[in-house]
Amino acid sequence: MALRLETDWVWDMWFADDGHRFHLFYLHAPRSLGDQVQRHVNARIGHAVSIDLRDWRLLGDAIVRGPQGLWDDIATWTGSTIRHGDTWYTFYTGVSSVEDGLVQRLGYATSPDLTTWTKHPGNPVCEADPRWYEPLDLSAWHDQAWRDPWVLADPDGKGFHALICARVSEGAPDDSRGVIGHAWSADLEHWECRPPLSEPGEFGHMEVPQVEIVDGTPVLLFSTARVHTGSDRKARLPDEPTGTFVAIGESLLGPWDIAGAQVIPVEDLYSGRIIRDRAGEWQVIGFIDGSERDEFVGELTDPIPFKELGLL
């Protein structure tokens, strides 16, 4: 495996490419916790570098939870990293003890070199807007989904967009309200919520979104466990497994064919990301899950050539 830690589980990840090295940011938590479910409330964001996406050199943690009482005092979760000018921005998810970790918010940290990170003093910078998104309602879902921001520059130069794992409060059964949430910013500091970029009806949530143009085709990647697939989709596709999905779109901001999304055919691959290697070829890297069989693995795969998966 590309990255396996003896002492810690590794799961969701994302990349930044400085032109010389690939930087990997990943969630990790101690295997000594015993119960892998506990990793979520003990997560921190690690950092490693590589020149080939295979051999990784570990650096110190990039971002860790904040002091007691702050918005991210339980854990720091998945996000993305983008460069603007001479500054790198890492957007991430935080959960707080104030709501027992059940409400998710977004904030960011900045760095001049991808190594030393400073949290923005105005965090959090984005929360779910109840005009469009489901508030915490434990009768409908187990948390308030507003996490995993994938931040990209607007294709037409009009600011920046964040694609977010979110849920709407109506328009589908409780188990099918997952959407790609949306927020926009002119400057990466001030954010406004906007209506979702996808329609509900297929999944309970759509985790770890990413969008890219692959061989001229806009694609959306997201991950969903079988247990969180909507009942109508389960009936339609009874053998569809847990995994990372690929949906074809009309642009980086959709719309996408969510109903026709296909699972990457690698067993237990979750939180799959795609990144270009130094030859310009798209590679998939994800973590190996297995938790639905009570066999959580918690390590990252070697790169998998995207073009060999036959999804486009």
Side-chain angles (χ1 to χ4, degrees):
M1 292 294 172
L3 182 62
R4 183 185 191 282
L5 304 183
E6 293 296 325
T7 58
D8 283 29
W9 289 303
V10 176
W11 64 105
D12 293 3
M13 88 302 299
W14 62 95
F15 300 96
D17 182 357
D18 66 10
H20 302 285
R21 300 185 299 178
F22 297 102
H23 294 253
L24 169 72
F25 299 96
Y26 59 92
L27 302 191
H28 69 106
R31 294 179 183 269
S32 60
L33 291 168
D35 178 4
Q36 63 89 12
V37 174
Q38 293 301 310
R39 64 192 162 93
H40 297 297
V41 292
N42 290 275
R44 53 185 60 204
I45 299 171
H47 184 196
V49 293
S50 173
I51 60 172
D52 61 3
L53 295 171
R54 291 180 178 273
D55 297 315
W56 294 95
R57 178 167 65 88
L58 300 181
L59 303 179
D61 284 338
I63 300 172
V64 300
R65 67 185 183 184
Q68 184 70 26
L70 291 190
W71 73 286
D72 60 355
D73 69 352
I74 287 184
T76 52
W77 289 351
T78 310
S80 60
T81 299
I82 185 173
R83 187 175 188 175
H84 182 48
D86 294 328
T87 302
W88 293 92
Y89 291 72
T90 285
F91 289 85
Y92 68 97
T93 310
V95 287
S96 169
S97 59
V98 173
E99 302 97 1
D100 295 325
L102 297 175
V103 175
Q104 299 153 15
R105 300 177 176 88
L106 308 181
Y108 71 87
T110 57
S111 173
D113 57 8
L114 286 167
T115 301
T116 302
W117 293 92
T118 301
K119 292 181 181 180
H120 176 56
N123 283 338
V125 296
C126 189
E127 302 184 32
D129 189 323
R131 287 180 295 173
W132 300 298
Y133 301 104
E134 183 180 77
L136 181 63
D137 179 1
L138 296 180
S139 68
W141 200 247
H142 55 267
D143 59 19
Q144 182 188 41
W146 192 251
R147 64 182 179 275
D148 307 345
W150 180 261
V151 176
L152 69 154
D154 181 83
D156 297 322
K158 300 176 181 178
F160 302 86
H161 301 272
L163 279 60
I164 301 160
C165 172
R167 283 171 52 86
V168 293
S169 55
E170 57 185 18
D174 290 351
D175 68 358
S176 306
R177 291 180 177 174
V179 293
I180 299 299
H182 185 206
W184 179 85
S185 174
D187 58 7
L188 292 175
E189 179 179 356
H190 304 93
W191 289 84
E192 63 179 54
C193 277
R194 292 186 171 181
L197 295 173
S198 69
E199 296 294 329
E202 295 289 311
F203 301 96
H205 59 206
M206 301 165 66
E207 298 191 289
V208 198
Q210 178 185 2
V211 289
E212 300 288 356
I213 303 292
V214 178
D215 297 333
T217 300
V219 298
L220 165 70
L221 278 75
F222 62 92
S223 293
T224 305
R226 178 65 175 171
V227 68
H228 295 139
T229 298
S231 53
D232 288 348
R233 187 179 180 96
K234 284 180 180 175
R236 190 173 79 247
L237 300 168
D239 298 322
E240 185 174 68
T242 285
T244 299
F245 291 77
V246 177
I248 306 302
E250 296 182 13
S251 76
L252 287 175
L253 300 176
W256 305 279
D257 181 11
I258 304 298
Q262 302 178 72
V263 179
I264 291 177
V266 177
E267 186 177 14
D268 290 332
L269 180 77
Y270 208 81
S271 184
R273 299 290 200 180
I274 55 173
I275 183 171
R276 280 196 183 97
D277 62 19
R278 287 290 173 251
E281 298 295 326
W282 288 101
Q283 304 288 337
V284 178
I285 297 176
F287 81 89
I288 300 301
D289 191 347
S291 58
E292 291 189 327
R293 300 192 306 276
D294 294 324
E295 298 175 359
F296 186 75
V297 177
E299 56 192 51
L300 304 191
T301 67
D302 283 322
I304 303 163
F306 186 81
K307 66 182 180 182
E308 295 181 7
L309 298 173
L311 298 173
L312 295 184

